Amino acid sequence: MCRNIHVLHNLEPATTSDEVRAAALQYVRKVSGYAKPSQANQAAFDRAVAEIAHATEHLLADLVTNAAPRDREVLAAQARERSAARYG
């Protein structure tokens, strides 16, 4: 999985459309191998990003959990700690 795609389900505050689109963009970049597609492929690339973002929003809306929402600040602090341990 692409390192820049993060879990978007069950977060507080809730996941935004921008976050969903950014994850879709990262996914399409990874799968296609293009960071920036050529003009000939731009329409297909953009359509794929939009369709994946749309499907992701439906998925997130339909998922059910009994767990308490995860706090973004706590997750960010944990990521900083892992990064500090990894990179010193």
Side-chain angles (χ1 to χ4, degrees), residues 6-57:
H6 303 284
V7 175
L8 299 176
H9 175 61
N10 199 28
L11 294 175
E12 189 60 42
T15 302
T16 65
S17 294
D18 288 340
E19 290 172 312
V20 170
R21 186 183 185 296
L25 178 61
Q26 285 297 322
Y27 175 80
V28 172
R29 284 177 174 169
K30 185 72 165 185
V31 170
S32 70
Y34 295 121
K36 178 154 176 45
S38 65
Q39 287 182 339
N41 294 323
Q42 187 69 50
F45 189 89
D46 292 342
R47 186 173 52 253
V49 170
E51 289 174 0
I52 291 169
H54 181 76
T56 301
E57 289 197 1

mmCIF file of all heavy atoms in Angstrom, residues 6-57:
data_model
loop_
_atom_site.group_PDB
_atom_site.id
_atom_site.type_symbol
_atom_site.label_atom_id
_atom_site.label_comp_id
_atom_site.label_asym_id
_atom_site.label_seq_id
_atom_site.Cartn_x
_atom_site.Cartn_y
_atom_site.Cartn_z
ATOM 1 N N HIS A 6 -3.668 6.912 4.287
ATOM 2 C CA HIS A 6 -3.908 6.611 5.686
ATOM 3 C C HIS A 6 -5.332 6.112 5.878
ATOM 4 O O HIS A 6 -6.203 6.347 5.040
ATOM 5 C CB HIS A 6 -3.684 7.860 6.545
ATOM 6 C CG HIS A 6 -2.324 8.431 6.396
ATOM 7 N ND1 HIS A 6 -1.216 7.869 6.989
ATOM 8 C CD2 HIS A 6 -1.869 9.490 5.702
ATOM 9 C CE1 HIS A 6 -0.141 8.578 6.664
ATOM 10 N NE2 HIS A 6 -0.512 9.568 5.878
ATOM 11 N N VAL A 7 -5.561 5.469 7.006
ATOM 12 C CA VAL A 7 -6.905 5.026 7.356
ATOM 13 C C VAL A 7 -7.794 6.259 7.487
ATOM 14 O O VAL A 7 -7.427 7.234 8.144
ATOM 15 C CB VAL A 7 -6.885 4.225 8.679
ATOM 16 C CG1 VAL A 7 -8.298 3.880 9.106
ATOM 17 C CG2 VAL A 7 -6.044 2.979 8.528
ATOM 18 N N LEU A 8 -8.954 6.211 6.855
ATOM 19 C CA LEU A 8 -9.872 7.355 6.856
ATOM 20 C C LEU A 8 -11.151 7.071 7.635
ATOM 21 O O LEU A 8 -11.965 7.969 7.828
ATOM 22 C CB LEU A 8 -10.230 7.738 5.412
ATOM 23 C CG LEU A 8 -9.070 8.159 4.519
ATOM 24 C CD1 LEU A 8 -9.556 8.421 3.110
ATOM 25 C CD2 LEU A 8 -8.370 9.377 5.087
ATOM 26 N N HIS A 9 -11.334 5.843 8.072
ATOM 27 C CA HIS A 9 -12.557 5.451 8.763
ATOM 28 C C HIS A 9 -12.470 5.695 10.263
ATOM 29 O O HIS A 9 -11.431 5.471 10.877
ATOM 30 C CB HIS A 9 -12.831 3.968 8.494
ATOM 31 C CG HIS A 9 -14.004 3.424 9.244
ATOM 32 N ND1 HIS A 9 -15.269 3.903 9.072
ATOM 33 C CD2 HIS A 9 -14.088 2.443 10.173
ATOM 34 C CE1 HIS A 9 -16.099 3.233 9.855
ATOM 35 N NE2 HIS A 9 -15.390 2.349 10.542
ATOM 36 N N ASN A 10 -13.565 6.160 10.841
ATOM 37 C CA ASN A 10 -13.731 6.287 12.292
ATOM 38 C C ASN A 10 -12.747 7.278 12.920
ATOM 39 O O ASN A 10 -12.107 6.986 13.915
ATOM 40 C CB ASN A 10 -13.618 4.915 12.961
ATOM 41 C CG ASN A 10 -14.222 4.903 14.340
ATOM 42 O OD1 ASN A 10 -15.135 5.671 14.625
ATOM 43 N ND2 ASN A 10 -13.718 4.043 15.207
ATOM 44 N N LEU A 11 -12.645 8.438 12.313
ATOM 45 C CA LEU A 11 -11.777 9.489 12.846
ATOM 46 C C LEU A 11 -12.611 10.636 13.400
ATOM 47 O O LEU A 11 -13.724 10.890 12.960
ATOM 48 C CB LEU A 11 -10.862 10.039 11.745
ATOM 49 C CG LEU A 11 -9.828 9.085 11.176
ATOM 50 C CD1 LEU A 11 -9.096 9.751 10.031
ATOM 51 C CD2 LEU A 11 -8.856 8.641 12.239
ATOM 52 N N GLU A 12 -12.050 11.338 14.358
ATOM 53 C CA GLU A 12 -12.686 12.529 14.903
ATOM 54 C C GLU A 12 -11.678 13.652 14.854
ATOM 55 O O GLU A 12 -10.603 13.510 15.428
ATOM 56 C CB GLU A 12 -13.125 12.271 16.352
ATOM 57 C CG GLU A 12 -13.968 13.360 16.936
ATOM 58 C CD GLU A 12 -15.269 13.597 16.179
ATOM 59 O OE1 GLU A 12 -15.946 12.652 15.778
ATOM 60 O OE2 GLU A 12 -15.575 14.777 15.968
ATOM 61 N N PRO A 13 -11.887 14.758 14.192
ATOM 62 C CA PRO A 13 -13.071 15.080 13.376
ATOM 63 C C PRO A 13 -13.147 14.197 12.129
ATOM 64 O O PRO A 13 -12.152 13.614 11.700
ATOM 65 C CB PRO A 13 -12.886 16.545 13.007
ATOM 66 C CG PRO A 13 -11.457 16.840 13.210
ATOM 67 C CD PRO A 13 -10.928 15.841 14.209
ATOM 68 N N ALA A 14 -14.325 14.136 11.564
ATOM 69 C CA ALA A 14 -14.614 13.234 10.447
ATOM 70 C C ALA A 14 -13.735 13.526 9.234
ATOM 71 O O ALA A 14 -13.238 14.643 9.049
ATOM 72 C CB ALA A 14 -16.086 13.359 10.058
ATOM 73 N N THR A 15 -13.575 12.508 8.420
ATOM 74 C CA THR A 15 -12.784 12.609 7.196
ATOM 75 C C THR A 15 -13.442 13.584 6.228
ATOM 76 O O THR A 15 -14.657 13.571 6.048
ATOM 77 C CB THR A 15 -12.676 11.217 6.541
ATOM 78 O OG1 THR A 15 -12.087 10.330 7.484
ATOM 79 C CG2 THR A 15 -11.848 11.264 5.289
ATOM 80 N N THR A 16 -12.636 14.422 5.599
ATOM 81 C CA THR A 16 -13.158 15.404 4.646
ATOM 82 C C THR A 16 -13.078 14.871 3.217
ATOM 83 O O THR A 16 -12.348 13.919 2.937
ATOM 84 C CB THR A 16 -12.353 16.714 4.712
ATOM 85 O OG1 THR A 16 -11.018 16.448 4.273
ATOM 86 C CG2 THR A 16 -12.332 17.294 6.124
ATOM 87 N N SER A 17 -13.814 15.507 2.324
ATOM 88 C CA SER A 17 -13.770 15.141 0.911
ATOM 89 C C SER A 17 -12.372 15.350 0.335
ATOM 90 O O SER A 17 -11.939 14.597 -0.542
ATOM 91 C CB SER A 17 -14.786 15.961 0.119
ATOM 92 O OG SER A 17 -16.090 15.620 0.512
ATOM 93 N N ASP A 18 -11.674 16.367 0.815
ATOM 94 C CA ASP A 18 -10.304 16.619 0.346
ATOM 95 C C ASP A 18 -9.374 15.466 0.709
ATOM 96 O O ASP A 18 -8.507 15.080 -0.078
ATOM 97 C CB ASP A 18 -9.762 17.928 0.931
ATOM 98 C CG ASP A 18 -10.412 19.153 0.331
ATOM 99 O OD1 ASP A 18 -10.987 19.052 -0.773
ATOM 100 O OD2 ASP A 18 -10.346 20.219 0.965
ATOM 101 N N GLU A 19 -9.541 14.908 1.907
ATOM 102 C CA GLU A 19 -8.719 13.772 2.319
ATOM 103 C C GLU A 19 -9.024 12.538 1.476
ATOM 104 O O GLU A 19 -8.117 11.800 1.095
ATOM 105 C CB GLU A 19 -8.949 13.455 3.795
ATOM 106 C CG GLU A 19 -8.384 14.498 4.726
ATOM 107 C CD GLU A 19 -8.792 14.267 6.159
ATOM 108 O OE1 GLU A 19 -9.982 14.040 6.424
ATOM 109 O OE2 GLU A 19 -7.885 14.309 7.022
ATOM 110 N N VAL A 20 -10.299 12.337 1.181
ATOM 111 C CA VAL A 20 -10.699 11.203 0.346
ATOM 112 C C VAL A 20 -10.114 11.368 -1.048
ATOM 113 O O VAL A 20 -9.566 10.424 -1.627
ATOM 114 C CB VAL A 20 -12.232 11.074 0.297
ATOM 115 C CG1 VAL A 20 -12.668 10.060 -0.750
ATOM 116 C CG2 VAL A 20 -12.783 10.704 1.665
ATOM 117 N N ARG A 21 -10.194 12.570 -1.605
ATOM 118 C CA ARG A 21 -9.655 12.816 -2.941
ATOM 119 C C ARG A 21 -8.134 12.637 -2.962
ATOM 120 O O ARG A 21 -7.581 12.075 -3.897
ATOM 121 C CB ARG A 21 -10.021 14.213 -3.443
ATOM 122 C CG ARG A 21 -9.588 14.385 -4.893
ATOM 123 C CD ARG A 21 -9.843 15.756 -5.450
ATOM 124 N NE ARG A 21 -9.524 15.834 -6.848
ATOM 125 C CZ ARG A 21 -8.320 15.678 -7.389
ATOM 126 N NH1 ARG A 21 -7.294 15.388 -6.638
ATOM 127 N NH2 ARG A 21 -8.132 15.789 -8.694
ATOM 128 N N ALA A 22 -7.452 13.105 -1.912
ATOM 129 C CA ALA A 22 -5.998 12.950 -1.845
ATOM 130 C C ALA A 22 -5.614 11.468 -1.799
ATOM 131 O O ALA A 22 -4.651 11.049 -2.452
ATOM 132 C CB ALA A 22 -5.446 13.678 -0.615
ATOM 133 N N ALA A 23 -6.366 10.657 -1.060
ATOM 134 C CA ALA A 23 -6.092 9.229 -1.010
ATOM 135 C C ALA A 23 -6.345 8.587 -2.377
ATOM 136 O O ALA A 23 -5.556 7.752 -2.831
ATOM 137 C CB ALA A 23 -6.962 8.560 0.057
ATOM 138 N N ALA A 24 -7.420 8.999 -3.044
ATOM 139 C CA ALA A 24 -7.727 8.470 -4.377
ATOM 140 C C ALA A 24 -6.626 8.845 -5.363
ATOM 141 O O ALA A 24 -6.202 8.023 -6.185
ATOM 142 C CB ALA A 24 -9.074 8.988 -4.861
ATOM 143 N N LEU A 25 -6.151 10.071 -5.277
ATOM 144 C CA LEU A 25 -5.076 10.529 -6.155
ATOM 145 C C LEU A 25 -3.808 9.707 -5.932
ATOM 146 O O LEU A 25 -3.158 9.267 -6.891
ATOM 147 C CB LEU A 25 -4.809 12.013 -5.922
ATOM 148 C CG LEU A 25 -3.682 12.641 -6.728
ATOM 149 C CD1 LEU A 25 -3.964 12.554 -8.222
ATOM 150 C CD2 LEU A 25 -3.492 14.091 -6.301
ATOM 151 N N GLN A 26 -3.445 9.470 -4.674
ATOM 152 C CA GLN A 26 -2.265 8.668 -4.374
ATOM 153 C C GLN A 26 -2.414 7.256 -4.912
ATOM 154 O O GLN A 26 -1.469 6.678 -5.466
ATOM 155 C CB GLN A 26 -2.007 8.623 -2.867
ATOM 156 C CG GLN A 26 -1.433 9.892 -2.318
ATOM 157 C CD GLN A 26 -0.066 10.204 -2.894
ATOM 158 O OE1 GLN A 26 0.746 9.320 -3.107
ATOM 159 N NE2 GLN A 26 0.188 11.455 -3.156
ATOM 160 N N TYR A 27 -3.619 6.695 -4.759
ATOM 161 C CA TYR A 27 -3.862 5.346 -5.253
ATOM 162 C C TYR A 27 -3.702 5.280 -6.774
ATOM 163 O O TYR A 27 -3.025 4.403 -7.301
ATOM 164 C CB TYR A 27 -5.268 4.888 -4.842
ATOM 165 C CG TYR A 27 -5.639 3.545 -5.412
ATOM 166 C CD1 TYR A 27 -5.170 2.378 -4.821
ATOM 167 C CD2 TYR A 27 -6.432 3.450 -6.542
ATOM 168 C CE1 TYR A 27 -5.495 1.138 -5.357
ATOM 169 C CE2 TYR A 27 -6.760 2.218 -7.075
ATOM 170 C CZ TYR A 27 -6.292 1.072 -6.481
ATOM 171 O OH TYR A 27 -6.602 -0.146 -7.010
ATOM 172 N N VAL A 28 -4.312 6.223 -7.481
ATOM 173 C CA VAL A 28 -4.237 6.221 -8.948
ATOM 174 C C VAL A 28 -2.795 6.456 -9.403
ATOM 175 O O VAL A 28 -2.333 5.825 -10.358
ATOM 176 C CB VAL A 28 -5.202 7.261 -9.555
ATOM 177 C CG1 VAL A 28 -4.996 7.406 -11.055
ATOM 178 C CG2 VAL A 28 -6.645 6.867 -9.265
ATOM 179 N N ARG A 29 -2.071 7.327 -8.725
ATOM 180 C CA ARG A 29 -0.662 7.541 -9.065
ATOM 181 C C ARG A 29 0.134 6.254 -8.909
ATOM 182 O O ARG A 29 0.961 5.899 -9.752
ATOM 183 C CB ARG A 29 -0.054 8.623 -8.168
ATOM 184 C CG ARG A 29 -0.453 10.012 -8.551
ATOM 185 C CD ARG A 29 0.139 11.004 -7.576
ATOM 186 N NE ARG A 29 -0.110 12.365 -8.014
ATOM 187 C CZ ARG A 29 0.107 13.435 -7.267
ATOM 188 N NH1 ARG A 29 0.590 13.309 -6.038
ATOM 189 N NH2 ARG A 29 -0.144 14.636 -7.743
ATOM 190 N N LYS A 30 -0.108 5.539 -7.822
ATOM 191 C CA LYS A 30 0.623 4.306 -7.552
ATOM 192 C C LYS A 30 0.301 3.238 -8.600
ATOM 193 O O LYS A 30 1.204 2.612 -9.154
ATOM 194 C CB LYS A 30 0.267 3.798 -6.149
ATOM 195 C CG LYS A 30 1.042 2.603 -5.711
ATOM 196 C CD LYS A 30 2.465 2.987 -5.411
ATOM 197 C CE LYS A 30 3.169 1.904 -4.640
ATOM 198 N NZ LYS A 30 4.497 2.305 -4.243
ATOM 199 N N VAL A 31 -0.981 3.051 -8.865
ATOM 200 C CA VAL A 31 -1.404 2.003 -9.792
ATOM 201 C C VAL A 31 -0.972 2.313 -11.222
ATOM 202 O O VAL A 31 -0.513 1.435 -11.951
ATOM 203 C CB VAL A 31 -2.937 1.806 -9.712
ATOM 204 C CG1 VAL A 31 -3.447 0.919 -10.824
ATOM 205 C CG2 VAL A 31 -3.316 1.233 -8.355
ATOM 206 N N SER A 32 -1.099 3.589 -11.631
ATOM 207 C CA SER A 32 -0.783 3.961 -13.015
ATOM 208 C C SER A 32 0.710 4.131 -13.254
ATOM 209 O O SER A 32 1.178 4.000 -14.385
ATOM 210 C CB SER A 32 -1.504 5.257 -13.393
ATOM 211 O OG SER A 32 -0.948 6.354 -12.692
ATOM 212 N N GLY A 33 1.445 4.456 -12.203
ATOM 213 C CA GLY A 33 2.866 4.720 -12.365
ATOM 214 C C GLY A 33 3.150 6.145 -12.804
ATOM 215 O O GLY A 33 4.291 6.499 -13.084
ATOM 216 N N TYR A 34 2.115 6.981 -12.855
ATOM 217 C CA TYR A 34 2.266 8.379 -13.263
ATOM 218 C C TYR A 34 2.080 9.301 -12.067
ATOM 219 O O TYR A 34 1.064 9.253 -11.389
ATOM 220 C CB TYR A 34 1.198 8.793 -14.284
ATOM 221 C CG TYR A 34 1.260 8.108 -15.615
ATOM 222 C CD1 TYR A 34 0.172 7.375 -16.077
ATOM 223 C CD2 TYR A 34 2.373 8.207 -16.426
ATOM 224 C CE1 TYR A 34 0.206 6.754 -17.314
ATOM 225 C CE2 TYR A 34 2.407 7.587 -17.663
ATOM 226 C CZ TYR A 34 1.327 6.861 -18.098
ATOM 227 O OH TYR A 34 1.367 6.250 -19.321
ATOM 228 N N ALA A 35 3.046 10.168 -11.833
ATOM 229 C CA ALA A 35 2.840 11.234 -10.860
ATOM 230 C C ALA A 35 2.035 12.350 -11.522
ATOM 231 O O ALA A 35 1.168 12.959 -10.901
ATOM 232 C CB ALA A 35 4.169 11.775 -10.359
ATOM 233 N N LYS A 36 2.340 12.577 -12.791
ATOM 234 C CA LYS A 36 1.600 13.543 -13.600
ATOM 235 C C LYS A 36 1.458 12.923 -14.980
ATOM 236 O O LYS A 36 2.437 12.771 -15.699
ATOM 237 C CB LYS A 36 2.337 14.873 -13.676
ATOM 238 C CG LYS A 36 1.628 15.888 -14.547
ATOM 239 C CD LYS A 36 1.961 17.288 -14.139
ATOM 240 C CE LYS A 36 1.352 18.340 -15.025
ATOM 241 N NZ LYS A 36 -0.018 18.151 -15.383
ATOM 242 N N PRO A 37 0.232 12.555 -15.351
ATOM 243 C CA PRO A 37 0.046 11.890 -16.637
ATOM 244 C C PRO A 37 0.224 12.839 -17.817
ATOM 245 O O PRO A 37 0.120 14.060 -17.672
ATOM 246 C CB PRO A 37 -1.392 11.383 -16.565
ATOM 247 C CG PRO A 37 -2.054 12.319 -15.630
ATOM 248 C CD PRO A 37 -1.013 12.710 -14.631
ATOM 249 N N SER A 38 0.451 12.267 -18.976
ATOM 250 C CA SER A 38 0.539 13.065 -20.197
ATOM 251 C C SER A 38 -0.841 13.608 -20.536
ATOM 252 O O SER A 38 -1.853 13.163 -19.995
ATOM 253 C CB SER A 38 1.049 12.196 -21.347
ATOM 254 O OG SER A 38 0.090 11.192 -21.637
ATOM 255 N N GLN A 39 -0.891 14.575 -21.445
ATOM 256 C CA GLN A 39 -2.174 15.136 -21.856
ATOM 257 C C GLN A 39 -3.084 14.056 -22.437
ATOM 258 O O GLN A 39 -4.297 14.099 -22.252
ATOM 259 C CB GLN A 39 -1.968 16.249 -22.879
ATOM 260 C CG GLN A 39 -1.413 17.518 -22.280
ATOM 261 C CD GLN A 39 -1.257 18.615 -23.322
ATOM 262 O OE1 GLN A 39 -1.192 18.355 -24.512
ATOM 263 N NE2 GLN A 39 -1.205 19.851 -22.846
ATOM 264 N N ALA A 40 -2.512 13.083 -23.117
ATOM 265 C CA ALA A 40 -3.302 12.004 -23.712
ATOM 266 C C ALA A 40 -3.979 11.150 -22.641
ATOM 267 O O ALA A 40 -5.051 10.594 -22.877
ATOM 268 C CB ALA A 40 -2.415 11.132 -24.592
ATOM 269 N N ASN A 41 -3.366 11.050 -21.465
ATOM 270 C CA ASN A 41 -3.912 10.215 -20.391
ATOM 271 C C ASN A 41 -4.596 10.999 -19.284
ATOM 272 O O ASN A 41 -5.155 10.402 -18.361
ATOM 273 C CB ASN A 41 -2.789 9.375 -19.781
ATOM 274 C CG ASN A 41 -2.247 8.364 -20.745
ATOM 275 O OD1 ASN A 41 -2.989 7.781 -21.524
ATOM 276 N ND2 ASN A 41 -0.942 8.167 -20.714
ATOM 277 N N GLN A 42 -4.580 12.317 -19.363
ATOM 278 C CA GLN A 42 -5.097 13.153 -18.282
ATOM 279 C C GLN A 42 -6.574 12.889 -17.990
ATOM 280 O O GLN A 42 -6.976 12.770 -16.825
ATOM 281 C CB GLN A 42 -4.881 14.639 -18.593
ATOM 282 C CG GLN A 42 -5.245 15.568 -17.444
ATOM 283 C CD GLN A 42 -4.288 15.443 -16.278
ATOM 284 O OE1 GLN A 42 -3.078 15.504 -16.462
ATOM 285 N NE2 GLN A 42 -4.811 15.263 -15.076
ATOM 286 N N ALA A 43 -7.397 12.778 -19.020
ATOM 287 C CA ALA A 43 -8.833 12.570 -18.814
ATOM 288 C C ALA A 43 -9.101 11.241 -18.109
ATOM 289 O O ALA A 43 -9.908 11.175 -17.172
ATOM 290 C CB ALA A 43 -9.574 12.632 -20.143
ATOM 291 N N ALA A 44 -8.432 10.178 -18.529
ATOM 292 C CA ALA A 44 -8.612 8.871 -17.899
ATOM 293 C C ALA A 44 -8.135 8.908 -16.448
ATOM 294 O O ALA A 44 -8.772 8.336 -15.551
ATOM 295 C CB ALA A 44 -7.862 7.801 -18.681
ATOM 296 N N PHE A 45 -7.017 9.579 -16.218
ATOM 297 C CA PHE A 45 -6.452 9.719 -14.881
ATOM 298 C C PHE A 45 -7.428 10.453 -13.962
ATOM 299 O O PHE A 45 -7.748 9.981 -12.865
ATOM 300 C CB PHE A 45 -5.129 10.488 -14.994
ATOM 301 C CG PHE A 45 -4.302 10.540 -13.744
ATOM 302 C CD1 PHE A 45 -3.379 9.545 -13.479
ATOM 303 C CD2 PHE A 45 -4.425 11.589 -12.857
ATOM 304 C CE1 PHE A 45 -2.587 9.599 -12.340
ATOM 305 C CE2 PHE A 45 -3.645 11.649 -11.724
ATOM 306 C CZ PHE A 45 -2.723 10.643 -11.457
ATOM 307 N N ASP A 46 -7.939 11.598 -14.422
ATOM 308 C CA ASP A 46 -8.879 12.396 -13.630
ATOM 309 C C ASP A 46 -10.179 11.636 -13.363
ATOM 310 O O ASP A 46 -10.734 11.711 -12.273
ATOM 311 C CB ASP A 46 -9.182 13.722 -14.328
ATOM 312 C CG ASP A 46 -7.979 14.651 -14.359
ATOM 313 O OD1 ASP A 46 -7.027 14.447 -13.576
ATOM 314 O OD2 ASP A 46 -7.997 15.590 -15.182
ATOM 315 N N ARG A 47 -10.650 10.909 -14.370
ATOM 316 C CA ARG A 47 -11.880 10.131 -14.211
ATOM 317 C C ARG A 47 -11.677 9.035 -13.161
ATOM 318 O O ARG A 47 -12.543 8.798 -12.314
ATOM 319 C CB ARG A 47 -12.311 9.532 -15.547
ATOM 320 C CG ARG A 47 -13.649 8.822 -15.512
ATOM 321 C CD ARG A 47 -14.138 8.380 -16.875
ATOM 322 N NE ARG A 47 -13.161 7.596 -17.628
ATOM 323 C CZ ARG A 47 -12.477 8.051 -18.686
ATOM 324 N NH1 ARG A 47 -12.660 9.280 -19.140
ATOM 325 N NH2 ARG A 47 -11.613 7.270 -19.308
ATOM 326 N N ALA A 48 -10.530 8.377 -13.192
ATOM 327 C CA ALA A 48 -10.235 7.333 -12.212
ATOM 328 C C ALA A 48 -10.185 7.902 -10.800
ATOM 329 O O ALA A 48 -10.736 7.309 -9.863
ATOM 330 C CB ALA A 48 -8.919 6.646 -12.556
ATOM 331 N N VAL A 49 -9.556 9.058 -10.635
ATOM 332 C CA VAL A 49 -9.485 9.693 -9.317
ATOM 333 C C VAL A 49 -10.896 10.006 -8.818
ATOM 334 O O VAL A 49 -11.244 9.711 -7.668
ATOM 335 C CB VAL A 49 -8.616 10.970 -9.348
ATOM 336 C CG1 VAL A 49 -8.742 11.751 -8.044
ATOM 337 C CG2 VAL A 49 -7.163 10.614 -9.608
ATOM 338 N N ALA A 50 -11.730 10.569 -9.672
ATOM 339 C CA ALA A 50 -13.096 10.927 -9.280
ATOM 340 C C ALA A 50 -13.909 9.687 -8.913
ATOM 341 O O ALA A 50 -14.644 9.685 -7.910
ATOM 342 C CB ALA A 50 -13.777 11.706 -10.403
ATOM 343 N N GLU A 51 -13.788 8.628 -9.705
ATOM 344 C CA GLU A 51 -14.560 7.411 -9.439
ATOM 345 C C GLU A 51 -14.107 6.729 -8.153
ATOM 346 O O GLU A 51 -14.934 6.245 -7.371
ATOM 347 C CB GLU A 51 -14.451 6.449 -10.622
ATOM 348 C CG GLU A 51 -15.204 6.938 -11.842
ATOM 349 C CD GLU A 51 -14.988 6.061 -13.066
ATOM 350 O OE1 GLU A 51 -14.254 5.052 -12.977
ATOM 351 O OE2 GLU A 51 -15.564 6.399 -14.116
ATOM 352 N N ILE A 52 -12.817 6.700 -7.910
ATOM 353 C CA ILE A 52 -12.305 6.077 -6.688
ATOM 354 C C ILE A 52 -12.684 6.906 -5.465
ATOM 355 O O ILE A 52 -13.079 6.363 -4.427
ATOM 356 C CB ILE A 52 -10.783 5.850 -6.783
ATOM 357 C CG1 ILE A 52 -10.524 4.759 -7.820
ATOM 358 C CG2 ILE A 52 -10.182 5.488 -5.431
ATOM 359 C CD1 ILE A 52 -9.096 4.603 -8.218
ATOM 360 N N ALA A 53 -12.616 8.222 -5.581
ATOM 361 C CA ALA A 53 -13.030 9.088 -4.475
ATOM 362 C C ALA A 53 -14.517 8.877 -4.174
ATOM 363 O O ALA A 53 -14.921 8.784 -3.003
ATOM 364 C CB ALA A 53 -12.745 10.547 -4.800
ATOM 365 N N HIS A 54 -15.326 8.785 -5.214
ATOM 366 C CA HIS A 54 -16.766 8.577 -5.052
ATOM 367 C C HIS A 54 -17.035 7.240 -4.354
ATOM 368 O O HIS A 54 -17.811 7.174 -3.385
ATOM 369 C CB HIS A 54 -17.441 8.622 -6.430
ATOM 370 C CG HIS A 54 -18.911 8.451 -6.395
ATOM 371 N ND1 HIS A 54 -19.766 9.457 -5.993
ATOM 372 C CD2 HIS A 54 -19.688 7.384 -6.702
ATOM 373 C CE1 HIS A 54 -21.006 9.014 -6.055
ATOM 374 N NE2 HIS A 54 -20.988 7.757 -6.483
ATOM 375 N N ALA A 55 -16.395 6.183 -4.816
ATOM 376 C CA ALA A 55 -16.573 4.865 -4.208
ATOM 377 C C ALA A 55 -16.086 4.858 -2.757
ATOM 378 O O ALA A 55 -16.708 4.241 -1.882
ATOM 379 C CB ALA A 55 -15.834 3.809 -5.021
ATOM 380 N N THR A 56 -15.001 5.558 -2.482
ATOM 381 C CA THR A 56 -14.456 5.626 -1.131
ATOM 382 C C THR A 56 -15.417 6.341 -0.195
ATOM 383 O O THR A 56 -15.629 5.908 0.945
ATOM 384 C CB THR A 56 -13.080 6.324 -1.132
ATOM 385 O OG1 THR A 56 -12.202 5.594 -1.986
ATOM 386 C CG2 THR A 56 -12.495 6.403 0.266
ATOM 387 N N GLU A 57 -16.010 7.432 -0.659
ATOM 388 C CA GLU A 57 -16.975 8.146 0.184
ATOM 389 C C GLU A 57 -18.177 7.264 0.502
ATOM 390 O O GLU A 57 -18.675 7.272 1.626
ATOM 391 C CB GLU A 57 -17.378 9.455 -0.468
ATOM 392 C CG GLU A 57 -16.235 10.449 -0.436
ATOM 393 C CD GLU A 57 -16.651 11.883 -0.674
ATOM 394 O OE1 GLU A 57 -17.856 12.150 -0.857
ATOM 395 O OE2 GLU A 57 -15.754 12.735 -0.676
#
